[in-house]
Amino acid sequence: MRTPSIVSDVSAIAVASIVIGETFTLNDGVHSATVFEFTSGGAPSVPNVAVDLSGLTTAADVAGACRAAINGVGASLTITAAAPVGAVVLNAGSLVP
């Protein structure tokens, strides 16, 4: 059974407003939830996925880093991301339970 595609967008913020170590979680409803952790070149807490903010400053930079981290997870997360200016667009696609 296929479910309709789900699309959501999230506004990104500048690096100065983010605390290193803060996290956000995505759950596609099929796999275990994936926790993303903002880092500054270091490793995230296990088993979190790093969103490296090293050298970044703007909201567009943060959106791009989030997109790269989300899309880098692979098959264990059936959510993809795009990063138009200052936002992260999440697409859950058509999920098969």
Side-chain angles (χ1 to χ4, degrees), residues 34-59:
T34 303
V35 179
F36 296 86
E37 182 177 332
F38 292 109
T39 66
S40 184
S45 301
V46 175
N48 298 354
V49 175
V51 178
D52 187 10
L53 302 180
S54 299
L56 306 181
T57 57
T58 68

Side-chain angles (χ1 to χ4, degrees), residues 15 17 24 32 38-39 48 52 69 79 85 92-93 95:
V15 172
S17 299
F24 65 93
S32 297
F38 292 109
T39 66
N48 298 354
D52 187 10
I79 296 173
V85 178
L95 304 178

Side-chain angles (χ1 to χ4, degrees), residues 43-93:
S45 301
V46 175
N48 298 354
V49 175
V51 178
D52 187 10
L53 302 180
S54 299
L56 306 181
T57 57
T58 68
D61 292 340
V62 172
C66 289
R67 177 196 46 78
I70 293 165
N71 291 341
V73 171
S76 65
L77 182 65
T78 56
I79 296 173
T80 58
V85 178
V88 178
V89 178
L90 305 174
N91 185 346

